[in-house]
Structure formats: C-alpha cells, structure tokens
Amino acid sequence: MSVDSLITKLKGLTTEDFAVLDHQKVLNGTAWSETLSSLNNVPSHTLTKTVVLKPKTAKSQAVVPILVVALESTSTPSGAAAKAVGAKEARLAAADLVEEVFGIPPADIGVFSVNEQNASKVHVVLDKNLINHGGLLAVHPSSSEKTLFVSAAAIESYLKTIGATPVVVDFSASAKPAEQSKPAATQKKADVSKNDAAIENAALIGITVRKDVDFPNWYQQVLTKSDMIEYYDISGCYILKPWSFSIWEAIQKWFDKQIKKLGVRNGYFPLFVSSKVLEKEKDHVEGFAPEVAWVTRAGSTELEEPIAIRPTSETVMYPYYAKWIRSHRDLPLRLNQWNSVVRWEFKNPQPFLRTREFLWQEGHTAHMTLESANEEVYQILDLYARVYSDLLAVPVVRGIKSENEKFAGGMFTTTVEGYIPTTGRGIQGGTSHGLGQNFSKMFNIVVEDPNAEVGTTGERPKLNVWQNSWGISTRTIGVAVMIHGDDKGLKLPPPVALVQTVVVPCGITNKTTDEERKNIEGFCAQLASRLIDADIRAEADLRSYTPGYKFAHWEMKGVPLRLEFGPNDAKKNQVTAVRRDTFEKIAVPLDNLEQRISDLLKTIHTSMYETAKKQFDSHIVRVKKWEDFVPALNKKNLVLIPWCNTTPCEKDIKKNSARQANGDEPEDEKAPSMGAKSLCIPLEQPTGEDAIVENVTKCAACGSHAKVWGLFGRSY
Amino acid sequence: MSVDSLITKLKGLTTEDFAVLDHQKVLNGTAWSETLSSLNNVPSHTLTKTVVLKPKTAKSQAVVPILVVALESTSTPSGAAAKAVGAKEARLAAADLVEEVFGIPPADIGVFSVNEQNASKVHVVLDKNLINHGGLLAVHPSSSEKTLFVSAAAIESYLKTIGATPVVVDFSASAKPAEQSKPAATQKKADVSKNDAAIENAALIGITVRKDVDFPNWYQQVLTKSDMIEYYDISGCYILKPWSFSIWEAIQKWFDKQIKKLGVRNGYFPLFVSSKVLEKEKDHVEGFAPEVAWVTRAGSTELEEPIAIRPTSETVMYPYYAKWIRSHRDLPLRLNQWNSVVRWEFKNPQPFLRTREFLWQEGHTAHMTLESANEEVYQILDLYARVYSDLLAVPVVRGIKSENEKFAGGMFTTTVEGYIPTTGRGIQGGTSHGLGQNFSKMFNIVVEDPNAEVGTTGERPKLNVWQNSWGISTRTIGVAVMIHGDDKGLKLPPPVALVQTVVVPCGITNKTTDEERKNIEGFCAQLASRLIDADIRAEADLRSYTPGYKFAHWEMKGVPLRLEFGPNDAKKNQVTAVRRDTFEKIAVPLDNLEQRISDLLKTIHTSMYETAKKQFDSHIVRVKKWEDFVPALNKKNLVLIPWCNTTPCEKDIKKNSARQANGDEPEDEKAPSMGAKSLCIPLEQPTGEDAIVENVTKCAACGSHAKVWGLFGRSY
C-alpha cells in the first residue's frame, strides 16, 4: 500500500491528522531515533518496533508468521508472543519468509505491512504498553525511509478494518520469573483481548475464534480460510472464489429452471442508466439515490452527462415495456436477468450481506390482471422459500412487509425472512413485489381492454398493466454460512456443496509398504470415480499430508461427508463415513455404495434443515404484553405480537425497544443499541385461541385494536 | 427527448450551432410564421411541416405509420408518400395513433419525434426540396411551443444515428399528372435513396432492404425486427432480448461444461478496479486506457480516487494469483468468469460487434510449465472453433496473430477468424492467449521449483508460473446473424435457436367448422408437446393471424423448421415441414416424428455449415504477386500470401492496400478506404507445391524471404 492510500484509509477510520516524514534509510532503532531528532517539524512521539517471528510448525502445515508490534522500549520475548497465539515456540523469521509473506524486506516492515491480502495468513501481536500509550507513535509505513506518526487507536481501527485479529500481550507480565516457572498446562495465558473467543488448540490454519463469542471475527475467518471469499482492495467489494461461487451456480441452475417452467425468459439490460431515466420515478429513486455510482469520464474525456450504474432495473426496463407491450396478446410479459447491481453503501460492509456490488437475479413481469400478477408474486415467493429450504437447508418465514418496509414505488412486498441464532437477528432473504399499476402509469404501459365495448372514439378503453418485480441475491450464501457453520468452520448443505464427499486414505504408517500405500490410494481414487459416475460430486485427497491435517482441512471447508478408507476398511469391505454436521461415524458397505452415499447426503440435508428449523421455531416467541417484548428480544428471539399494523406504532416499537435495551446484558456488538424492526406479517397466522379477534384483541405495543400477528426483531 | 439532450446529440453529430426559441403554442404554419416574425433574434430560416399518415394495412398486420417531413411550401400528396414506402394508400393518422406511437399530440410532432425507440416502427419520408435546401430550417423539437433552427444535414445525421432509414421523395415529380397516369405496375418509383436496396413487396413488418445492397441497414432491421436487440438510450449499449440472449445461454451452457471437464472452475471478481491496480502493467493497460470508464462519484459524494470499470481482468486477478499460488501443488490454477466488461469506444458502435458493454467469458490460468500452458491454449482454441462450427454453423480459420496484432502484454495470441461474405471482411471470433511469464514477473507469481536442488539458502530456486487468458463474447451472435441471414430475416442454427420448430395450423377456410378448427389447433398443440417431450424446442402458433402472416413472422425470426398441419396433412397422417435455410418442403410421417424432426434439425445445421464453409473457402485466395493482392481483396476475398512475418511489412501491406483501393469499384461504405490487416497465420499451412521453401519462397508483399503463409483481409 502506498503511503498516500494508507493515509486516505486512516483518515476514513479516525478523525486524526497524520504526519509523514521522508528521511534516509534507517536499519535499527538507534539510527531511527538519531535521524528523527536531526529533522525539523518532528512531532513529539514514541518509537515503535516491529518483529516477524516464525513459530515452530509441523511439516504438513503452513507456516503462519507472527508480527509483533511493540514500543521500542518494551522487551518482547518470542516465547510470550508464541504462547499468545497458541504456538509452542518461535524464532526470528528469515528474510525470505518475510519477503514471501509481505513482499518487502524485514527492515521495512511495520504494522501497516499487514493488509487485507495477508491478514488471514499472519498472527498479529500487539504490546499492551503500546495500546495503552496515549501519544503519537512513530511507525514505518512499509518503508524504513519514511516515518508515520499515528495514535494507538488509529492502529487498532486499521487492523480491524483490514480483518486482522490482533492479540494484545502484556509482555511485562509474561517476563516475570515467577510466572514463567509455572508448568505450561496450568499457566495463566497472556492477557489476551477477546480471550474467551480464542479456540484452545485450534490448528494455526483453522478458525481461531469461537462462533458464539466473537461472531464477526468468526464469520470473517470462516469465509477467508475456507476459500469462499478474498478481500479486495476496494472496500465493500469481494472476490467470490469457486468455493462460494459454485453455491451461486447451484442456486442459479435450480431457480432458472423453475422460472422457465413458469414462462419466464432471460435477457440482458445494460449496466448503465442515463440520469433522466433513473430519476423518472421519484419515490422509487429516492431510496437509491444516495447509493448510486456515477461514471463521469471515459478515458480522458469528460462525459457530457454523468451515467449511473444500475442499482436495480425498474426504470431501465419499463420504458421498453411500454414499447413492447402493444396488445393484451403480449401479456404476460415475463423477463428475468442474472446480473450484478451496485449500491454504494457507506455503512460497514460485510461479505454477502452488505456489499457494494452484488450478484442477483431480477425478474420483471407485466400482467393483464391483478389476479394473474398476484398469483405469480406468491409462486416466486414459494420458489425463494425453496431455495432456502431445499438447497441451503435454511428455514424461513414467508410474510408480507409492512407499509413502512415495502419496496419504494410498489404496492406490496412479500418476503422470506431468516434468523441467525448466534446474534438473534432476523435477516431478509428475498423479496417478491406486487408493483400494482404505479410504474405502468408512470411509464404509460397500457393495452386496450379486450373485454370492454368499443367506445365512441372507435377504440376500446386502455388498461394499465399490473407489474411485479422480484429478486434474490448472493446474500443467500452468507445466511447459510452464518446458520450452519461451527467452530471448525463451514458446514455446506449437500445440494450446493462443490465437493459433496471427500475420500481420504487412512491407516498408512511407517510399516506400510509402498505397494500397500499405492493400493489404498488407488482404491480411494476409484471410490471417488464411482461416486462421480453416479453424479455425486466427489474428490479423493491424495496429497502428501497426514490424515489429521486433511480432516481438519475439509471440515473447515464444510464438505458434508468424509469417507475414510484404510487397511481395516479393506478387510471389512467398507468405507468409514463421517458426517460433517454431527461427526457421526458410519461404516458403509462398498456394495451399492453410490445409493448409500446419495441417501446419506439426503439425510444430512434433512437433518441440517431440521436442526435449524427447531432452533428458529424455538426463537419465535409470542408476546402479548409490551413488558415482555424487550426481554424476549434480549434473549435473542424474534417476537410475534398481535399488532395494529400501523406505521406510527411500528416506529414507536423500534424506538422503544432500542432505548429499553440499554443496560441489558451485552449481546453481539451492534444488537443492544438496535431497535426491533418489523420483519413481516407472516402468511401463516396463529390460529385457535391465539387467533386475532376483530375489535377485541389488542395491539401488544400500542393497545389499539390488533389486526394481525406481526413478526419483529433486531435484524441485518 | 428533452430539447437539451436533443441539442447535445446534434452537437455530437455535426459541427453546427443550434438556436432554440420558446414561444406561444402554434397550431399551424400560419400561426407559426406570424409568431416567429414577431420575435427578436430569429435567424433567417424556412418553415417545415411534419405530417403523420396511416397506410392501409391488413387487419392481421401491425400499422406502420409514415412520418412525412417537408418544406412548408411543398405539396405532399399522401399517395406519393405511401407509394414511396411500398404501401397502397394512406390517410392522415388519427390523433390517438400519433399519441400511441410518439407519445405526443400531432401538433407537437416534428422530425425529432422519431427516436431510437420508435424508429423501427415508423417510415420516415423526407421531401427532396428539404434535403436540397442549403439554409436553416425551422422545426418543432417535439413541442409546438418551441422552434429549433437546423440544417438539412443535421436532420439527416440525426436520423442516421437513431437508426431511421428515411426515404427521400421528389414530391414535385410525383405530382406531375403525366407520371400519375402511368399504370401502377410499370410506373417509375419515386426517387428513392438506396432505391436498389428496397425489397419489392416486403411486408411492412418485414425486412425492407436487401442484404447485398444495404448491409448496415439490413443488419439493423434484422436485429430489431426479429426481437433480438432493442436500441438503448445510451449509445453503444443495447438490450439483449430473449431471442438473442438465449443464443448466449446455449453457448454458455455448452462451453461451461467443456471447460469444467478441463478442470476450470468459475468465480466472480469485482466490476471495479482501483487505478493503481489497473495501471500496474503498462504495456497492457496502454491498449485499454483511452476506453476505460471511470466512476468518480457515489450519491453526492466525490470519491477520493476514481475507480475504473474493468475492461478485462488480468490486472484485477493476478495480484491474488500471487497470493493464492504458494506451491507447485496449487498448479494448474484455472479460473473463469462469465461477466460483462466495459470499453468505452468512440468509434461507431454496432450491436454485438462493437459495443461499450459486452458479455463474455474470461478464463485465466496459471501453469507450472510452458508445455502445460500451451496445451491448454490450443484446447481452448479448439473449443472456440467448435462454438462456431457445432453451435453456430459458422466456419472459422484457426491461426496465430502476428506480433503486431497479439494481445498487449502477452507472449502469443491464437485466434479463430471468421468471414462475412456480404462485405468480404474478416472478423476475429475469439482469442486464446499464451501470456508467458510476463504477468507472473510483474505480479511476482512464483513457486519453488520442485525439481531443483535445494540451494545454499536452504530453499529451492523460484519459478515464475506460465499463464494463459482466453475469451469469447456475444460477438459470436452478430457473426452468425451476418453470415446466415437473408432478405427474409434471420436464419438461426438449430443448436442455439430458442424455438427450433414452430407448428402452424393451416387450411382453415371460411368453410371450416368451429369444431374442425379446434381439432386442427388442438392437434398442432399436441405435436408441439410431443416434440418438447423429446427435448426439441417447439412452439405451436395458435394466434388469430393468417398462416401467411405467421410464415413471414417466423421466417423473419429465423426459426429453422416450420411444421404446417392442416386437413390434407391429417388425411395423409403427416406434417409438412418447411426448412428455413432452403425453403424445401418435406412431407414428414407422424410416426416416429420426434426422431425425424431431430434428424432434420441436424441436417439443417450441417447444411448451413457446409454452405457457409463453401463460401468461406472460395473466398480465401492464394496470391503470390503483390499486383494480384488488392484486386483479390476488392473481389471480397481474404488473401493468403507467402509472408516474411515482419511488422514493417505488415504495416506496408495495410497502407498500400488502402491507398490502391481508392477508385476501385465501390463496396460497403467502409471497406474501400480500409487497408488489409493481418488476420492470422493459419495453423493449417498450404502443403505440396505451395509449401514455403526456406530461403527460396519470396514474401508476396516485400520480396524478402517468406516464412509462412499469412492471411490478410479487410476486417471488422
């Protein structure tokens, strides 16, 4: 990272100003100190130092270096640093390891040499003295010819943004002889921030924080370490690697087939929208305007009018619908496109959940009648629910959005809503909108009414068409990761897993002959082939690593089923299957293996769905009195209340649940201060004694007459 | 279109300045003239008038109104206007027809009311007096409260740009009584520009110009009238409607399956590139820089650094390849993505062939050895050739690009080159690049050489990986349209046709009873179902139009096979099949219909390919003397010459063939002034007596020693 772009980044993170000085190359602290004191305009500061350590690592494992950043004055024994990250011992890293990881020589290394690209491959250890230091710190911004003066807070913000998870170590404590003499097993660990989140004995390449304690960090580690996501040098944009993109391909394949059965056809509309067209429907564009990205230049030529990148395509498409729809015979018109859209959000981005560019499909249809349009709204909603249940093993609630939460410019919005147990927050999973005639009036999309009498003008009266639009995005992937994953990593639902089952040769020891080993490996390869021929996505892992390493590797990547095969299995004519979701071990006869594995994958899917469904169901709590509302919310529930279904009441609920939450037990970092939003009015309403009785049942929030049961919750 | 944007557009087309005046509403020429003379600063001008006529149209056909633009002083009999566009008679259009087509009342109509959206639905007739008028013309810019002063040349440029094809009529000639009295059949047509291109008796909804005479216009009409393309309000961007997008889907499905067999996996990299990253490889970016679109603003916030939209993804992806590739075990790394890229070309755009955004796939792979990389380059080239031959029935020549034409930054480029017979021009169809180690050196993509000895540093020496990139785009569709289409419209190759066969009920007359009609239609629907069940994309056209209308409709849309079924066919237990490519009629027994139709579709494909192949082969002319080169080129050939394979000679060939072409017979509008480019060095080189003999065979262009046979031609 250049110094300029580093400073730009730091400015985005904090309110400080940053001074940079150029000077001669300094190769150690003494030279640095002398050089700085010889210059003018140097702010008062404290020197820091940065050291790269190489922990002792098994040959089969990748080396994860430790970057120690401390005050120059702090003594930083490598043992203490190693222990803090769960390594046994460590020594100063050789220059070429440093170069390999950071691309620069050791003398140039500073805390800012850690970036989005290498953060997941490095442990960062911060000196507690440095963290507690209130003044300016002198650091090298990846060059020993420059000094940057920053606060400890700016360093911490920076590390958080790039996704590093620093461990703070009190080196002065670890240096005390009394503590050092304690036996290793019972010794108090170094003072580690988020200490509770650290997983004991986590392999260095594995997930190092607990899902239930440090969920944001867990999510980031799971996505990067499983090879789903790579962080990108433009904030809010992410690279989808094959491990996640294949999930999207599976969703595309299934959903595309379903909508084509309904008569939908695919097309492609341009990425670019003229400002005129974008701004035609005022209510609609208002929701998007602050997030629209504008192209103003091509090569070195300024464009005469800026051109927008589509945030969604209603106003892109409907002028053409007005042209194409000439007669009732042209209806229904059903078009869909698979594309990416851009919404330049300034809120904190999160892979899959909130990204500046995302992949989705957007369907846009026009109908002769409201009935035909409405039928489709719910057909699509059903398909969205099935994407979640049948492909992703994720349960959702189908419902209708409140007036306040519906799509801007539309008539009504239906939605599938999911639930993330770890945070207790709801998440919108996909929306199917009935647009009514609002857009067709705006864009003059009309046909002659074929059922009407010919009027005095010689023509039949015009009807505005009824329109729908519907979309589901790569957010689906993030939801599935958050719900199913555990402390070992991803858990992929079998229908979307790029590798559904991995075959690992086992039981190879020092005594195994070369021929025996070859036989076992050859048989594993054959097993994989058999399964592939039966359309099961299988792979044999014949790499020269230990079985234990491979187990951890594929568990982290979430492969639903592992097949172990070794000499003992050979004798018994079986493979040993291990389920990723339950770790259950099952001996599977080789006879008719394909069918058995296929059945097992189905069982895993059902079981994953049912586990998630039970958890979801047990966290939808029916509440009839306001005083129970916030406590239920604080127990990570979504709350179902008899509700008056009015916007003022909805806004009060949000405000009151936010305020009352303060002072309650801490949950995830954002939830406590967040009020409950209306998620949806579920299509499936409580019946029996809980059924709403008109003019009798009271709204749990405002006390006026309840119209419906409404689902509320803190949400993404 | 607003007046401002109209003027912006006109400024882009001509060098004139344009004056606009606001005034009171004027409902006729007299009022207009009086109003203008009462205002100050009115330039000297001549009034125009614009009239919308409705031609007599069969009930089954869509009305295509005629917009007549003339000097106010010219008498414009509607009969002459009707005749000029091939209609029998016409009368003044009712206000609601005008409103329906143009969205404004008749009083506001002017020549600029024709736009990209409605141009294909309107005939435009221009008064010859107006065209010949040298001064400023007063026109309403779609509002009778405004007057715009423009030249006739500006009007003509405008109409050309929006894709209108005006017919120029000499109303004074047509008004002569002597001419009017001639019998219709032998009467000389009105003075029509591009008269030779007009197709006699073309249905109004059909293609109205001949492919061999006015190819650019023919191409535009075929694409819009067949529902492949809709022109978009941003120049160089087009809407791909399902009729064309389905072809791309067929190509995607097939090619994606093939590359996955090779071990390629799909992912998705962001649309956006930071300027730093884009500009890292200088040679490479130089080729793209003038065409890069830059985002500089999000909502109302100026970005600190402008962000580019990817023109291709080498520099986007390779920094991450450097990170992901840690060991020879990570090789080969083969990733592909299906996406769109943006190249803001300022040259004249053309749907599919040269567009500012286009859809493609880009594969990017890294290999341990040059051999492995090269093997893949040619595997992919083969797949590209098969996309053309097996899916699109288009023959191509495989070859290697000259140094001058290869991909910037790469080592060598292989290509499939096609040929458009109507213009005699070559067209690049897809390229597979061997990048060598250039990018891997730039981005430091290295692995330890597993075959080398461990050196004194304790590590093995590093190897830079060998890289490839390869891409094929929606240009494929344009090439297939240009090669196969005829004066009746598209001809779709069966493997990619959204509808492969259409079933049309026939022989229904006034005497047919309702029940008989229902039986025939029901049977047609059944036939379509039978074919669909056998995976043939079939459709029954049961609309209330005449069979003749339906035949013309589906012929224009290029459906490969039409099945006619009527009472006579029923008696004979057959359908009558009509091939789109040859119009051959074939009686097909109903027994085993599915197999017979499937075979027939294959026959059509083979026949289309062979027809195109014969034409291509006969237009690759071997030339050994320079004096034969340009004449061969001018006969719409590509020219194969013994060549020295040097860049100076290549540049001379281009220069000399351009100069010498001047004064030759006119061909398509651009070709004559265009020099011949080096298309490729074909992989399949002439043998036998034409084989290159080292140090003996002479380069046909410069006389030095020939190294290879090189293929040259004018090209797209």
Side-chain angles (χ1 to χ4, degrees), chain A residues 403-419:
Chain A
E403 274 302 297
N404 188 44
E405 292 285 339
K406 76 175 188 186
F407 183 66
M411 186 169 67
F412 70 105
T413 290
T414 66
T415 179
V416 291
E417 297 282 326
Y419 168 74

PDB file of all heavy atoms in Angstrom, chain A residues 403-419:
ATOM      1  N   GLU A 403     -46.244  -1.488   5.476  1.00  0.00           N
ATOM      2  CA  GLU A 403     -46.208  -0.345   4.561  1.00  0.00           C
ATOM      3  C   GLU A 403     -44.862   0.364   4.613  1.00  0.00           C
ATOM      4  O   GLU A 403     -44.317   0.785   3.607  1.00  0.00           O
ATOM      5  CB  GLU A 403     -47.302   0.656   4.952  1.00  0.00           C
ATOM      6  CG  GLU A 403     -48.647   0.367   4.344  1.00  0.00           C
ATOM      7  CD  GLU A 403     -48.589   0.345   2.819  1.00  0.00           C
ATOM      8  OE1 GLU A 403     -48.276   1.377   2.207  1.00  0.00           O
ATOM      9  OE2 GLU A 403     -48.841  -0.749   2.252  1.00  0.00           O
ATOM     10  N   ASN A 404     -44.339   0.466   5.822  1.00  0.00           N
ATOM     11  CA  ASN A 404     -43.096   1.179   6.056  1.00  0.00           C
ATOM     12  C   ASN A 404     -41.888   0.476   5.442  1.00  0.00           C
ATOM     13  O   ASN A 404     -40.913   1.109   5.053  1.00  0.00           O
ATOM     14  CB  ASN A 404     -42.908   1.316   7.574  1.00  0.00           C
ATOM     15  CG  ASN A 404     -41.749   2.211   7.929  1.00  0.00           C
ATOM     16  OD1 ASN A 404     -41.593   3.266   7.342  1.00  0.00           O
ATOM     17  ND2 ASN A 404     -40.941   1.765   8.886  1.00  0.00           N
ATOM     18  N   GLU A 405     -41.951  -0.848   5.373  1.00  0.00           N
ATOM     19  CA  GLU A 405     -40.795  -1.634   4.919  1.00  0.00           C
ATOM     20  C   GLU A 405     -40.922  -2.106   3.475  1.00  0.00           C
ATOM     21  O   GLU A 405     -40.013  -2.741   2.954  1.00  0.00           O
ATOM     22  CB  GLU A 405     -40.610  -2.864   5.823  1.00  0.00           C
ATOM     23  CG  GLU A 405     -40.183  -2.538   7.249  1.00  0.00           C
ATOM     24  CD  GLU A 405     -38.709  -2.121   7.342  1.00  0.00           C
ATOM     25  OE1 GLU A 405     -37.935  -2.441   6.433  1.00  0.00           O
ATOM     26  OE2 GLU A 405     -38.343  -1.453   8.331  1.00  0.00           O
ATOM     27  N   LYS A 406     -42.055  -1.807   2.823  1.00  0.00           N
ATOM     28  CA  LYS A 406     -42.227  -2.338   1.463  1.00  0.00           C
ATOM     29  C   LYS A 406     -41.332  -1.616   0.462  1.00  0.00           C
ATOM     30  O   LYS A 406     -40.766  -0.563   0.769  1.00  0.00           O
ATOM     31  CB  LYS A 406     -43.692  -2.246   1.038  1.00  0.00           C
ATOM     32  CG  LYS A 406     -44.125  -0.830   0.668  1.00  0.00           C
ATOM     33  CD  LYS A 406     -45.548  -0.774   0.128  1.00  0.00           C
ATOM     34  CE  LYS A 406     -45.837   0.627  -0.397  1.00  0.00           C
ATOM     35  NZ  LYS A 406     -47.237   0.806  -0.799  1.00  0.00           N
ATOM     36  N   PHE A 407     -41.235  -2.168  -0.734  1.00  0.00           N
ATOM     37  CA  PHE A 407     -40.400  -1.645  -1.823  1.00  0.00           C
ATOM     38  C   PHE A 407     -40.924  -0.292  -2.281  1.00  0.00           C
ATOM     39  O   PHE A 407     -42.121  -0.142  -2.547  1.00  0.00           O
ATOM     40  CB  PHE A 407     -40.436  -2.649  -2.967  1.00  0.00           C
ATOM     41  CG  PHE A 407     -39.579  -2.313  -4.158  1.00  0.00           C
ATOM     42  CD1 PHE A 407     -38.197  -2.291  -4.059  1.00  0.00           C
ATOM     43  CD2 PHE A 407     -40.154  -2.065  -5.390  1.00  0.00           C
ATOM     44  CE1 PHE A 407     -37.412  -2.013  -5.170  1.00  0.00           C
ATOM     45  CE2 PHE A 407     -39.371  -1.787  -6.510  1.00  0.00           C
ATOM     46  CZ  PHE A 407     -38.006  -1.773  -6.396  1.00  0.00           C
ATOM     47  N   ALA A 408     -40.019   0.681  -2.375  1.00  0.00           N
ATOM     48  CA  ALA A 408     -40.433   2.054  -2.719  1.00  0.00           C
ATOM     49  C   ALA A 408     -41.018   2.101  -4.119  1.00  0.00           C
ATOM     50  O   ALA A 408     -40.363   1.716  -5.082  1.00  0.00           O
ATOM     51  CB  ALA A 408     -39.238   2.988  -2.623  1.00  0.00           C
ATOM     52  N   GLY A 409     -42.239   2.552  -4.220  1.00  0.00           N
ATOM     53  CA  GLY A 409     -42.888   2.666  -5.521  1.00  0.00           C
ATOM     54  C   GLY A 409     -43.819   1.509  -5.834  1.00  0.00           C
ATOM     55  O   GLY A 409     -44.573   1.562  -6.794  1.00  0.00           O
ATOM     56  N   GLY A 410     -43.746   0.441  -5.047  1.00  0.00           N
ATOM     57  CA  GLY A 410     -44.591  -0.726  -5.302  1.00  0.00           C
ATOM     58  C   GLY A 410     -45.890  -0.689  -4.519  1.00  0.00           C
ATOM     59  O   GLY A 410     -46.170   0.249  -3.768  1.00  0.00           O
ATOM     60  N   MET A 411     -46.717  -1.755  -4.690  1.00  0.00           N
ATOM     61  CA  MET A 411     -47.993  -1.835  -3.998  1.00  0.00           C
ATOM     62  C   MET A 411     -47.851  -2.644  -2.709  1.00  0.00           C
ATOM     63  O   MET A 411     -48.284  -2.238  -1.657  1.00  0.00           O
ATOM     64  CB  MET A 411     -49.031  -2.481  -4.928  1.00  0.00           C
ATOM     65  CG  MET A 411     -50.446  -2.502  -4.372  1.00  0.00           C
ATOM     66  SD  MET A 411     -51.660  -2.970  -5.638  1.00  0.00           S
ATOM     67  CE  MET A 411     -51.211  -4.684  -5.952  1.00  0.00           C
ATOM     68  N   PHE A 412     -47.225  -3.821  -2.825  1.00  0.00           N
ATOM     69  CA  PHE A 412     -46.940  -4.595  -1.619  1.00  0.00           C
ATOM     70  C   PHE A 412     -45.719  -5.476  -1.872  1.00  0.00           C
ATOM     71  O   PHE A 412     -45.373  -5.782  -3.004  1.00  0.00           O
ATOM     72  CB  PHE A 412     -48.146  -5.445  -1.193  1.00  0.00           C
ATOM     73  CG  PHE A 412     -48.455  -6.596  -2.113  1.00  0.00           C
ATOM     74  CD1 PHE A 412     -48.142  -7.914  -1.750  1.00  0.00           C
ATOM     75  CD2 PHE A 412     -49.060  -6.380  -3.350  1.00  0.00           C
ATOM     76  CE1 PHE A 412     -48.432  -8.974  -2.597  1.00  0.00           C
ATOM     77  CE2 PHE A 412     -49.347  -7.437  -4.209  1.00  0.00           C
ATOM     78  CZ  PHE A 412     -49.029  -8.734  -3.826  1.00  0.00           C
ATOM     79  N   THR A 413     -45.059  -5.850  -0.776  1.00  0.00           N
ATOM     80  CA  THR A 413     -43.842  -6.656  -0.861  1.00  0.00           C
ATOM     81  C   THR A 413     -44.014  -7.915  -0.039  1.00  0.00           C
ATOM     82  O   THR A 413     -44.365  -7.843   1.141  1.00  0.00           O
ATOM     83  CB  THR A 413     -42.630  -5.857  -0.334  1.00  0.00           C
ATOM     84  OG1 THR A 413     -42.323  -4.816  -1.251  1.00  0.00           O
ATOM     85  CG2 THR A 413     -41.398  -6.738  -0.166  1.00  0.00           C
ATOM     86  N   THR A 414     -43.770  -9.060  -0.676  1.00  0.00           N
ATOM     87  CA  THR A 414     -43.720 -10.303   0.096  1.00  0.00           C
ATOM     88  C   THR A 414     -42.258 -10.676   0.301  1.00  0.00           C
ATOM     89  O   THR A 414     -41.391 -10.287  -0.483  1.00  0.00           O
ATOM     90  CB  THR A 414     -44.449 -11.453  -0.612  1.00  0.00           C
ATOM     91  OG1 THR A 414     -43.751 -11.791  -1.808  1.00  0.00           O
ATOM     92  CG2 THR A 414     -45.887 -11.067  -0.963  1.00  0.00           C
ATOM     93  N   THR A 415     -42.007 -11.432   1.353  1.00  0.00           N
ATOM     94  CA  THR A 415     -40.615 -11.660   1.744  1.00  0.00           C
ATOM     95  C   THR A 415     -40.446 -13.024   2.386  1.00  0.00           C
ATOM     96  O   THR A 415     -41.406 -13.576   2.934  1.00  0.00           O
ATOM     97  CB  THR A 415     -40.174 -10.553   2.735  1.00  0.00           C
ATOM     98  OG1 THR A 415     -38.824 -10.774   3.144  1.00  0.00           O
ATOM     99  CG2 THR A 415     -41.049 -10.548   3.974  1.00  0.00           C
ATOM    100  N   VAL A 416     -39.241 -13.558   2.275  1.00  0.00           N
ATOM    101  CA  VAL A 416     -38.880 -14.701   3.116  1.00  0.00           C
ATOM    102  C   VAL A 416     -37.854 -14.186   4.117  1.00  0.00           C
ATOM    103  O   VAL A 416     -36.883 -13.532   3.733  1.00  0.00           O
ATOM    104  CB  VAL A 416     -38.335 -15.907   2.310  1.00  0.00           C
ATOM    105  CG1 VAL A 416     -39.439 -16.550   1.479  1.00  0.00           C
ATOM    106  CG2 VAL A 416     -37.170 -15.517   1.418  1.00  0.00           C
ATOM    107  N   GLU A 417     -38.107 -14.463   5.402  1.00  0.00           N
ATOM    108  CA  GLU A 417     -37.256 -13.936   6.466  1.00  0.00           C
ATOM    109  C   GLU A 417     -36.558 -15.085   7.189  1.00  0.00           C
ATOM    110  O   GLU A 417     -37.191 -16.068   7.574  1.00  0.00           O
ATOM    111  CB  GLU A 417     -38.102 -13.148   7.479  1.00  0.00           C
ATOM    112  CG  GLU A 417     -38.794 -11.922   6.892  1.00  0.00           C
ATOM    113  CD  GLU A 417     -37.858 -10.709   6.714  1.00  0.00           C
ATOM    114  OE1 GLU A 417     -36.948 -10.537   7.552  1.00  0.00           O
ATOM    115  OE2 GLU A 417     -38.039  -9.959   5.736  1.00  0.00           O
ATOM    116  N   GLY A 418     -35.269 -14.933   7.341  1.00  0.00           N
ATOM    117  CA  GLY A 418     -34.497 -15.945   8.051  1.00  0.00           C
ATOM    118  C   GLY A 418     -34.087 -15.449   9.431  1.00  0.00           C
ATOM    119  O   GLY A 418     -34.453 -14.351   9.858  1.00  0.00           O
ATOM    120  N   TYR A 419     -33.298 -16.271  10.109  1.00  0.00           N
ATOM    121  CA  TYR A 419     -32.939 -15.977  11.503  1.00  0.00           C
ATOM    122  C   TYR A 419     -31.530 -16.486  11.769  1.00  0.00           C
ATOM    123  O   TYR A 419     -31.195 -17.626  11.430  1.00  0.00           O
ATOM    124  CB  TYR A 419     -33.947 -16.673  12.426  1.00  0.00           C
ATOM    125  CG  TYR A 419     -33.548 -16.709  13.888  1.00  0.00           C
ATOM    126  CD1 TYR A 419     -33.608 -15.562  14.671  1.00  0.00           C
ATOM    127  CD2 TYR A 419     -33.121 -17.911  14.479  1.00  0.00           C
ATOM    128  CE1 TYR A 419     -33.242 -15.600  16.010  1.00  0.00           C
ATOM    129  CE2 TYR A 419     -32.758 -17.955  15.821  1.00  0.00           C
ATOM    130  CZ  TYR A 419     -32.813 -16.797  16.585  1.00  0.00           C
ATOM    131  OH  TYR A 419     -32.455 -16.829  17.903  1.00  0.00           O
TER     132      TYR A 419
END
